[in-house]
Amino acid sequence: MSGRIRSEAFKSKVMSAHDAAELVKNGWNIGFSGFTGSGYPKAFPEALAAVIDAAHHQGEEFKIGVWTGASTAPELDGALARTGGISYRAPYQSDPEMRTAINNGTSYYQDIHLSHMGPQVSQGFLGKLNLAVIEATAINEDGDIIPSSSVGMNRTYLEHADAIIIEVNSWQSEGLYGMHDIYAPAGFLPPNRVPLPIQHPGDRIGEKVMKVDVDKVIAIIETDSPDRNTPFKLLDDDSRAIANNLLDFLGNEVKQGRLPKNLLPLQSGVGNIANAVLAGLLEGPFEKLTSYTEVIQDGMVDLLDSGKLTVASATAFSLSPKAAERMNDNAAHYSKKIVLRPQDVSNHPEAIRRMGVIACNGMIEADIYGNVNSTHVMGSRMQNGIGGSGDFTRNGWISSFVTPSTAKGGAISCIVPMVNHVDHTEHDVQVIITEQGLADLRGMAPRQRAKLIIDNCAHPDFKEPLREYVKLAEKKANGMHTPHDLATALGWHVRFLETGTMVQ
Amino acid sequence: MSGRIRSEAFKSKVMSAHDAAELVKNGWNIGFSGFTGSGYPKAFPEALAAVIDAAHHQGEEFKIGVWTGASTAPELDGALARTGGISYRAPYQSDPEMRTAINNGTSYYQDIHLSHMGPQVSQGFLGKLNLAVIEATAINEDGDIIPSSSVGMNRTYLEHADAIIIEVNSWQSEGLYGMHDIYAPAGFLPPNRVPLPIQHPGDRIGEKVMKVDVDKVIAIIETDSPDRNTPFKLLDDDSRAIANNLLDFLGNEVKQGRLPKNLLPLQSGVGNIANAVLAGLLEGPFEKLTSYTEVIQDGMVDLLDSGKLTVASATAFSLSPKAAERMNDNAAHYSKKIVLRPQDVSNHPEAIRRMGVIACNGMIEADIYGNVNSTHVMGSRMQNGIGGSGDFTRNGWISSFVTPSTAKGGAISCIVPMVNHVDHTEHDVQVIITEQGLADLRGMAPRQRAKLIIDNCAHPDFKEPLREYVKLAEKKANGMHTPHDLATALGWHVRFLETGTMVQ
C-alpha cells in the first residue's frame, strides 16, 4: 500500500479496479472526477470498459451515463466511448473517441454550462446518480478526502451518489494539501442560499478537504499514474498576433480610465492562444495581476513565478508534463498562490460578475453581427462543447473571443455571414479578435458591427465576399436591423460541405 | 405649482418643456426614465421632437442617442422616432414607430440584456451621457427625488449624466413614497463590488429616494399625465391552455420534491400569457408565493390582494388604466408588499441565481433543438428586443418559454427546424410550452429534445413536416449531435418570405 490511505475504515475497502468495476450495473449514472485532463480516475474506467465489453460479447445490454467535471483523457472518455456503452454524456468532453460516439449517434451528449452542472445534479434534474468515482491525493486519518489536481464536480458527486469509489493516486503530490477550497454551506440550494462570500480571487471560503459518508464507499483503488498533460506547443505567429491585439486593447482601456492599472481578474480558455496571451502578459507592462478562471496552464504558473500575477483561482490544472513535474515538486509553495475550487464556484456568475472578470475564450467562428459558435462544425457536428465560456462571457466585465481568421489552410473563413450554431449571442459578445485585428463591438448596433468585424477581423481573402453578402442581404432583407438573406445566409457552410472549401 | 417641488433650490429651475428642450444639442446622448410604459417623462420628449423637427426643417443635422430603462410610450419613443432624429437606441423598445425607424435603417438599435445596461453605462462603454431626463413623483425638502412608477436606469443616469432634467408628475401617487429601494453602494463597480445583500424578494437594501447633484439640474418640468397603461385583454383559450401546462408542470415538480410547496420566486414576462399564468395561480393550490421579477402586472396585484402572493419585487409597473387607478389610490398600502428596484438589481444574475427564480418568458419561435428566438422576425426584422429574458433564463432555477404553437392564423409555425435568430441558446432553455403541451428538456441531448418538442409542442399541422425535416437532416448531416440540413434549415422562413406562409 502507498501509505496514502490513513483511515482504517477506508483501508479495509481497498480492492482491484477490476473487482470494483464489477460492482457496476447496466443503466447506472456515474459521476467521475476529472477536469481538462487532470484529476480523473486512472484505473477504474478502463476496468469498467472491460466489464462493459464482456457484457456486450455475451449479447447483454450494458450502457451507462457518464458525468464528469469537464474533459478527461483517453483512459476515461476514450476507453468508455470505445465500448459503445455510453448512453449519455455531460457536461463537456474533448476526446476524439467520445466525439466520434456523439457524432455517429451512439451516445447522447448534453452540452451544459459548467456552472449549471452542480445545481442541476443537486436538484435531480439529470436523474439519479448511482455512483461517484473520484480521484484523491490521500485519505486522512479522519476519513476526509484530499482532492488531487482538479476539484470540478467532486463535492456534488460525493454528496449525491448512492455509492462511492475513491481512487487514491500516489503520483499526485501531497503538497497539494491546502490548495483546495471546498465550499459547501448548508443552504447551497434555493431558497436557502446565502451570498457567495468571494470578493477577491484569493479569498478562501471553504474546507481543505472533502467529507464523505464512509458507509457509501464501496471500493478504494490505489493508483500511481500521471495526469494526461499534453506537451506545451511553441507559440505560432497567429497566436502571438491575437495575443498582442488583446493586450493592446487592454492597455488602451487602462489609458481611457475604463480599467484599473492592474486590470481586473483574468479568465482565459485553454490552448495556444491563451498561452500566448499569458506569455504576452509576462513581457507586458501590467503588474499585480490576478486571475479568476477555470484552469491553470503553464503560462499562468510562469506568471506566478515572475511575481506579475499575485494569485490564481481555478478548478483544475491543465499543464504540460514538464510544468506538472514542477507543480508536483513545489505544490506546497504554489498552494499559497493558487486556489482550486469546485467548478460551480470557479464559474459562478455571482463571483464573475462581482469581480468584473476579463474573459477571453476561443471560438470556432463568429458571424458579421457578433454571434459566436463555440461548439459545432458545419451545423450538425459537435467539436467539444461550450464548457465554461458562457459563464464567463455573460457575466464578465469584458467578454472577448479569439480565433485565427481562417481554418483548414484557408478553406474556411472563421468570420461568416451567419454562424451555423449560436453558443454566445450578439447580446453577450463585446470584442472579437483574430490575427488580422480587433473589433470592439461595445455600443454598436448589428450593422455597425458587421462593418467593423469585416474590416478588422476577416481574412483579406474573405473581406470582399463578406461585403458582397452584406450588400445582397441589405437588398433582400425584410428589415434593416440585422439584414440577412436567409436563402444564402448559411451558403458558405453548405458550399464547404459540398466542395470542401468556403471559397467560391 | 403642484406643491410637489419642496426644495427651494429646485423651484427656481422650473420652466416649460419647450424651454428645456431647447437646451439640447445635436449629437447628445440622453438617458430617459421609463420602463414598460411607466415612469417615463411625459412632456419633454414631445417638446424635444418639435425642436428636432424645427432643426430638420432648417436643413440642420439634429440626431440624438436615446437610452432608457426599457420600453416607453408613444409620447417618448413614438414622438422622437417620428422625427428621424434618433441615431442610436438602447437597451429595449416596443414602440411601432421606433420599430419602423429601426427596421427601415434610420436608427441604430442595440438590444442589450437589461441587467447589463447599468454596468455598461457606468463604465463608459456606450460613450458620454450628456443629459438625464427623469420622471419623479416629488422632490422633497432636502432635494431628494422620489421616483414614480418605474425605477429602471434612473439612478445610473442621474449619477453619470452631465446635466439633469426632472419632470415632476402630479398624476403619480405620493403614496408611492417608500415603495422604492434604490441600491447604490460606494463600490458598485469592480474591483470594489460587495455581495448584493438580497436573500429574499422582499429584502430592502437601499434608500427610498434618489440623490442628485443640484448643480447638474438644468430644468424642472411639471406635468400631470397618466402612464401609457394599456387596457387589460380578456384571456384567450391558448393563453389559458399554456398557463395550465405550466402550472401542471410546477405542481409535478413539487410532487417530485424538486420544488418547495410555495415554489420559488416567480418571474414572468409581460402580456397575455403571463396574465393567464397569474390568473391560474389565483385559482391554484400554491400559497405563500413570492415574486422576483421585472414588472408588476394586473394579475400580480390580484395575487397580492388575495394573500396568495406575499411580496413582489420588480423595477416597474405595467398596469391597465383600471389597475393603475387602484394602485394610485392605495399605493401606501401596496408599498408594504411591493419593492421597486433599479433594473440592475431586479435583473441581477446574483439575486436571480441565489434565490432560484422560476422564469417564464414569451418568445417568437423555438427550434426543434431548443434554441429560442425572442427578437427577430424572419431573420432581419427586429420586433421588440431581448429585454430581461436573458437575465432570468440563464440564471433562473427553471427557465421556461411560452408561445402559441402558430402565428398569423396558422401560416407560421412557432416551432421550426432552425430559429432565424438565437437569443437563448440550447444550453439555457429547460422548458418549452405551447397550448399543445409542454416539453421538459432537462437532461436531454439535442435529438431527444427534437422528438419531445415536435411531439408535445408543435401544432398538428406542422408535426409531420417537422418530422420529415428531422429525417432529411439525419440523412444529410455531417454529424448526429444536432442533425441539420443547412441548405434547407431556414427554408420555412424563406418560404414564408416568398409565399406568405410556412405551409408547403
Side-chain angles (χ1 to χ4, degrees), chain B residues 32-42 66-78 89-96 98-99 109 111-112 114 149-150 152-153 157 227-230 270 294-295 315-318 343 383-388:
Chain B
F32 292 98
S33 64
F35 199 108
T36 53
S38 63
Y40 56 91
K42 309 293 190 290
V66 174
W67 311 351
T68 61
S71 55
T72 65
E75 303 101 292
L76 198 166
D77 265 305
R89 177 78 178 87
Y92 182 82
Q93 63 77 38
S94 68
D95 182 83
M98 187 68 242
R99 188 181 300 132
Y109 172 46
D111 184 15
I112 299 177
L114 296 183
S149 46
S150 69
M153 285 290 298
Y157 292 157
D227 280 329
R228 175 189 69 186
N229 294 329
T230 40
V270 186
E294 259 174 41
V295 173
T315 188
F317 291 124
S318 184
Q343 72 194 61
Q383 184 64 20
N384 297 330
I386 191 169

Side-chain angles (χ1 to χ4, degrees), chain A residues 32 48 81 84 113 118 127 185 207 211 297 314 320 357 414 422 469 484 491:
Chain A
F32 291 97
L48 177 58
H113 296 297
E207 307 278 323
K211 302 281 177 192
Q297 301 183 87
S320 68
V357 167
C414 299
V422 178
Y469 176 80
H484 266 305

Side-chain angles (χ1 to χ4, degrees), chain B residues 394-439:
Chain B
R394 173 70 66 87
N395 298 292
W397 190 248
I398 290 175
S399 297
S400 64
F401 284 91
V402 293
T403 179
S405 65
T406 59
K408 298 270 178 206
I412 290 177
S413 174
C414 300
I415 307 294
V416 291
M418 178 185 264
V419 288
N420 72 70
H421 185 268
V422 177
D423 295 290
H424 306 285
T425 72
E426 45 139 346
H427 315 283
D428 294 312
V429 177
Q430 295 185 336
V431 180
I432 288 180
I433 313 174
T434 69
E435 83 289 353
Q436 299 293 321
L438 179 147

Side-chain angles (χ1 to χ4, degrees), chain B residues 181-185 195-200 202-207 292 339 341-342 345:
Chain B
D181 188 63
I182 314 298
Y183 179 70
L196 186 73
I198 293 182
Q199 289 180 236
H200 183 273
D203 288 350
R204 289 188 173 273
I205 62 173
E207 308 278 324
Y292 195 84
V339 188
R341 311 176 187 278
V345 178

Side-chain angles (χ1 to χ4, degrees), chain A residues 103 111 113 115-116 123 193 258 350 353-354 376 390 394 421 423 426-428 480 482 484, chain B residues 103 111 113 115-116 123 193 258 350 353-354 376 380 394 397 421 423 426-428 480 482 484:
Chain A
N103 286 315
D111 183 16
H113 296 297
S115 80
H116 279 181
Q123 199 69 337
R193 279 205 195 115
R258 290 192 293 257
E350 178 170 342
R353 174 136 171 186
R354 180 179 304 142
H376 281 65
R394 173 71 66 86
H421 185 269
D423 295 289
E426 47 138 344
H427 315 283
D428 294 312
M480 287 291 281
T482 312
H484 266 305
Chain B
N103 286 315
D111 184 15
H113 297 296
S115 81
H116 279 181
Q123 199 69 337
R193 280 207 194 114
R258 291 191 292 257
E350 179 170 341
R353 173 135 173 186
R354 181 178 303 142
H376 280 66
S380 312
R394 173 70 66 87
W397 190 248
H421 185 268
D423 295 290
E426 45 139 346
H427 315 283
D428 294 312
M480 287 290 281
T482 312
H484 266 307

